Amino acid sequence: MSSKRTIAIIAGGDSSEIVISLKTAEVVFSHLDKSLYDCYMLKVIGKEWTAEIEGKTYRVDKNDFSILTPDVRIQFDCAFIAIHGTPGEDGKLQGYFDLLKIPYTTPSLLNSAVTFSKWYCTTLLKQLGIRCANSMLLRQGMNYDESAIGKKLGFPCFVKPNNAGSSFGISKVKEQAALAPAIQKAFGEDHEVLIESAMVGREVTCGVLNYKGKVIALPITEIVSQNEFFDFEAKYKGASQEITPAQIDAAIAAEIQQTVIEIYHQFNMTGIIRVDFILEEAGPSVIEINTVPGLTEGSLIPQQAIAAGISLTELFGNSIEQAILNASNN
């Protein structure tokens, strides 16, 4: 009888972020310690849940999240969720695994759902006294007044899908005439659109996680985009410089790390999260919280972990062990 844990690494999803999800899952699979874990790559795309095992494709039995092969029924000790966007980052898969009592590596259903909506997330952050941009929310079919938006938020402003990541559908709008096309572009990705006043300053980001029983903030990364903002090209096609650790004032760095730890505790988070900031004149302001951040070798969290002396094998293994421990305590 094997003493190894059986792990499902889940990739895919139903959003434009699927390509990033598949890359994340491949990196997680390649770095997990195979002496400790039997790992299986699963794709969850719409209603098609499948696994490739020894060159054959098997369907996942959704009744108990198992895979029946000719030799054995594979059941999982933990789900490593690597889906950016729905259904892996918005709480849907988390709710499914909660019902089946299968541990998973991300924050809970509630935290995933709340933070996936940029509007709800920043509203809660403001209630905690954490600085965020001024913003307003539009829903599909709502009437809106372009001049009123301009008066409230000013130009430039950012128009983005409320429930999406990887900078899909985001526009920086510099004048009122460009507002309506940007809103329609964002509606192409989501049924809700968030419009935010532009924050001026350097962009930084900081990961935070429970590492071996202690909540720690990782080294901060500064993002210097060659484009006007940290868009998809800058994130994934090399059009940015990422500096880890960020060369910023020590007091500001300490404030950022204290803030991400406070967010982690206040939201009762689990798993690895990443919080993005703009360093405004008044101090660091939160852009958003990512609860399933990219984990490819070039992604920000792996860069920060390595700078902290944590290998990717340790990082991913810790995610699994903490998930199983959290489940046993609940």
Side-chain angles (χ1 to χ4, degrees), residues 84-149:
H84 313 300
T86 188
E89 199 167 3
D90 58 1
K92 293 185 175 73
L93 273 182
Q94 288 80 0
Y96 168 76
F97 288 128
D98 284 341
L99 288 172
L100 294 177
K101 301 190 184 308
I102 295 174
Y104 50 85
T105 56
T106 67
S108 68
L109 182 164
L110 177 61
N111 279 330
S112 298
V114 167
T115 55
F116 193 65
S117 167
K118 297 179 179 69
W119 169 257
Y120 286 125
C121 184
T122 55
T123 299
L124 285 174
L125 288 169
K126 288 173 185 176
Q127 289 181 351
L128 293 172
I130 295 171
R131 284 183 293 269
C132 302
N134 294 325
S135 62
M136 62 185 298
L137 184 71
L138 301 179
R139 292 189 171 91
Q140 195 90 52
M142 281 178 59
N143 293 322
Y144 59 87
D145 184 328
E146 294 167 26
S147 62
I149 293 171

Side-chain angles (χ1 to χ4, degrees), residues 20 23-24 27 236 293-300 302-303 312 316:
I20 311 305
K23 290 180 180 178
T24 287
V27 171
Y236 302 114
L295 298 175
T296 68
E297 283 155 329
S299 295
L300 297 164
Q303 290 181 41
L312 297 191
F316 302 151

